[in-house]
Amino acid sequence: MSRILTNEIDLETVEKSRINDVDFDNIDFGREFTDHMFSCDFVDGEWQTPKIMPYQALTLDPSARVFHYGQAVFEGMKAFKDDQDEVWLFRPEDNFNRINISAARLAIPEFPKDYFLNGLKTLIQLDKAWVKKGDGNALYIRPFVIATEPAISAAPANEYKFMIICSPVKAYYKGRLSVLFAEKFSRSADGGVGFAKAAGNYAAQFYPTNLANKKGFQQIIWTDANTHEYLEEAGTMNIFFRINNTLVTAPTSDRILDGITRKSVIQLAKDNNIDVEIRRVSVKEIKEAAMDGSLKEIFGSGTAAVISPISAFEHAGDVFEIPDLEDSYSTFFKRKLMDIQYNKSDDQHGWRYKV
């Protein structure tokens, strides 16, 4: 191993890469990790010198507050390689802003922007070979923060660890999905942490999602906690509905994640003169649209999934099939997004960030 200080990052590299041990043609999402990881500790009221080191296990005290009170937030990002072997990020400053918004909600100190962007860029440059070319191939990037202070009194921690790990990936979902509209369980409530990428949000939805999986559905589209009458988002995606030729999606709130892919789809729709309505969407409206034929599509959007078309939904025992359109909005937006991400088209909004 070698150790140098670069861009105020303490850098320790591996002697030999593990990349040749990985079968990139048969890779499960989020199961393999690159050679290096980024780490920075918050101690004595300030963030310390960031480090990049070989990917390795952590040692934490059993009383670390993250284990007891769930102070943990994360982000999901991707890096893409174009045909000239250049690597690009997609809207990384949005991810930086959102992880700090999430952190603030859980009383976690915000992370410095220069540490985040310099650390991210240095880490990806170091493990650039892990980013494979070709549509669908990407490097999934997971920044996260956990409370590490060893104390079990019910209070915010005084010590934290900010980390970034990376995983080569292919498509998250394959094919079209079937979903269940929630009738009983809720993902989040008014005044809660639904807008934050808090680890506990995902843990709490695993049980009802497992029940949906047993019924043959891949995801749940969550409804509002008060009445279960309005559709909000899915477990790993924001949701869009195409009613005739109008794209409809729920507004963000303290219950709904401000998805970066969601914002991008809305902007691309406006760029291409597709009508967009950001408003509450009722279960009743979508069921009636499915019955009268005006519901043309439902699709999800997210970093991991990109764009995922939905083939059917169930609510209160009623099952509705959704046609597979040749000129679907889901295919259109996925192509538009990927062409920007893989540096195949103009980027008029400045979303690409060269590594």
Side-chain angles (χ1 to χ4, degrees), residues 98-199:
R98 193 171 62 182
I99 198 169
N100 274 342
I101 290 169
S102 298
R105 180 61 180 84
L106 270 70
I108 296 171
E110 295 185 11
F111 197 64
K113 184 176 181 179
D114 57 338
Y115 280 19
F116 180 85
L117 292 177
N118 288 340
L120 189 60
K121 189 172 183 177
T122 304
L123 179 63
I124 296 170
Q125 286 174 337
L126 198 58
D127 286 341
K128 182 179 179 180
W130 291 78
V131 192
K132 299 301 181 181
K133 289 190 288 189
D135 282 1
N137 293 322
L139 188 70
Y140 186 83
I141 303 162
R142 172 52 58 87
F144 64 98
V145 193
I146 56 173
T148 54
E149 183 186 14
I152 57 172
S153 55
N158 291 313
E159 297 175 8
Y160 298 87
K161 184 178 288 291
F162 187 106
M163 301 195 69
I164 306 173
I165 57 176
C166 302
S167 175
V169 296
K170 289 185 175 292
Y172 192 78
Y173 295 118
K174 296 179 181 179
R176 303 172 80 213
L177 308 177
S178 57
V179 299
L180 188 67
F181 288 1
E183 298 177 62
K184 174 184 176 183
F185 295 103
S186 300
R187 178 187 176 273
S188 60
D190 291 339
V193 296
F195 70 91
K197 285 189 76 72

Side-chain angles (χ1 to χ4, degrees), residues 8-306:
E8 299 183 353
I9 298 173
D10 187 359
L11 178 62
E12 180 184 350
T13 60
V14 297
E15 291 181 357
K16 181 181 179 182
S17 175
R18 295 179 292 102
I19 195 168
N20 293 327
D21 298 330
V22 177
D23 181 0
F24 284 88
D25 293 325
N26 298 284
I27 198 164
D28 289 336
F29 196 101
R31 295 279 185 177
E32 297 285 349
F33 296 92
T34 63
D35 291 317
H36 299 91
M37 64 186 192
F38 174 94
S39 180
C40 187
D41 293 319
F42 184 87
V43 182
D44 296 329
E46 61 183 9
W47 291 101
Q48 306 299 304
T49 300
K51 300 177 181 178
I52 290 177
M53 63 190 74
Y55 186 91
Q56 59 193 266
L58 300 178
T59 300
L60 292 176
D61 195 290
S63 63
R65 289 191 195 266
V66 66
F67 298 137
H68 305 274
Y69 304 111
Q71 269 188 294
V73 297
F74 68 92
E75 269 300 317
M77 310 171 62
K78 279 181 178 176
F80 308 88
K81 183 173 283 185
D82 66 19
D83 292 337
Q84 288 74 47
D85 287 328
E86 297 290 351
V87 177
W88 304 84
L89 295 169
F90 184 72
R91 305 186 69 165
E93 291 197 17
D94 291 81
N95 293 101
F96 166 76
N97 291 333
R98 193 171 62 182
I99 198 169
N100 274 342
I101 290 169
S102 298
R105 180 61 180 84
L106 270 70
I108 296 171
E110 295 185 11
F111 197 64
K113 184 176 181 179
D114 57 338
Y115 280 19
F116 180 85
L117 292 177
N118 288 340
L120 189 60
K121 189 172 183 177
T122 304
L123 179 63
I124 296 170
Q125 286 174 337
L126 198 58
D127 286 341
K128 182 179 179 180
W130 291 78
V131 192
K132 299 301 181 181
K133 289 190 288 189
D135 282 1
N137 293 322
L139 188 70
Y140 186 83
I141 303 162
R142 172 52 58 87
F144 64 98
V145 193
I146 56 173
T148 54
E149 183 186 14
I152 57 172
S153 55
N158 291 313
E159 297 175 8
Y160 298 87
K161 184 178 288 291
F162 187 106
M163 301 195 69
I164 306 173
I165 57 176
C166 302
S167 175
V169 296
K170 289 185 175 292
Y172 192 78
Y173 295 118
K174 296 179 181 179
R176 303 172 80 213
L177 308 177
S178 57
V179 299
L180 188 67
F181 288 1
E183 298 177 62
K184 174 184 176 183
F185 295 103
S186 300
R187 178 187 176 273
S188 60
D190 291 339
V193 296
F195 70 91
K197 285 189 76 72
N201 287 348
Y202 295 79
Q205 71 186 22
F206 290 158
Y207 172 69
T209 302
N210 283 346
L211 297 179
N213 293 161
K214 290 177 182 178
K215 294 181 67 175
F217 300 96
Q218 286 80 42
Q219 280 282 305
I220 295 174
I221 297 184
W222 301 101
T223 49
D224 68 292
N226 293 330
T227 68
H228 294 291
E229 293 178 4
Y230 293 93
L231 296 157
E232 299 196 328
E233 67 172 290
T236 58
M237 306 179 291
N238 293 110
I239 293 294
F240 288 87
F241 305 90
R242 177 184 175 182
I243 301 174
N244 290 319
N245 289 323
T246 299
L247 199 62
V248 183
T249 191
T252 55
S253 66
D254 57 9
R255 301 184 310 278
I256 299 177
L257 186 72
D258 186 14
I260 294 165
T261 309
R262 171 189 176 275
K263 290 191 288 190
S264 303
V265 168
I266 292 169
Q267 184 60 58
L268 289 172
K270 294 176 179 177
D271 293 345
N272 290 275
N273 299 314
I274 294 173
D275 291 334
V276 185
E277 294 180 2
I278 302 171
R279 59 171 174 79
R280 298 182 83 185
V281 185
S282 72
V283 173
K284 180 181 178 183
E285 176 187 4
I286 297 305
K287 291 178 75 170
E288 289 178 350
M291 286 187 282
D292 67 24
S294 59
L295 179 66
K296 305 301 183 184
E297 294 180 70
I298 304 176
F299 61 87
S301 68
T303 298
V306 189

